Amino acid sequence: GWNFDNIIELNPAKTTWKIKVEIIRLWRLYSSAGNIESIEMVLVDSNGYTIHATVNEDVVPIFESFLEEGDSKIFINFKPDE
């Protein structure tokens, strides 16, 4: 079985996190040219803790097609901001 970290435990000192979350809010920020600058999300874990997450412009094309509000996702090996 997989052991998941809780959102409350996240810190930038480690990059090998594994969280299981639901995307409870998702929106896109656009540049003046109409391009997606970022995808912004609010995530919640099974304990009810929430966190804001950003998909930066350079990787939007990779992730955009499978991130939707209401989806449950597992995020692995990422670095939280300070």
Side-chain angles (χ1 to χ4, degrees), residues 4-7 9-21 43 51-54 63 73-81:
F4 295 102
D5 298 297
N6 294 310
I7 285 175
E9 300 169 325
L10 299 179
N11 69 69
K14 182 176 144 185
T15 58
T16 55
W17 299 103
K18 185 172 20 182
I19 60 172
K20 185 176 183 180
V21 293
L43 310 175
I51 194 168
H52 171 257
T54 299
F63 294 103
K73 296 291 181 188
I74 296 170
F75 292 95
I76 301 172
N77 298 341
F78 58 91
K79 184 173 186 348
D81 286 341

Side-chain angles (χ1 to χ4, degrees), residues 35-68:
N35 300 319
I36 298 175
E37 279 190 355
S38 66
I39 298 172
E40 305 294 323
M41 297 176 288
V42 178
L43 310 175
V44 63
D45 67 16
S46 61
N47 295 311
Y49 293 109
T50 59
I51 194 168
H52 171 257
T54 299
V55 176
N56 291 320
E57 182 177 23
D58 54 334
V59 292
V60 162
I62 298 168
F63 294 103
E64 183 184 21
S65 65
F66 59 89
L67 294 174
E68 292 297 329

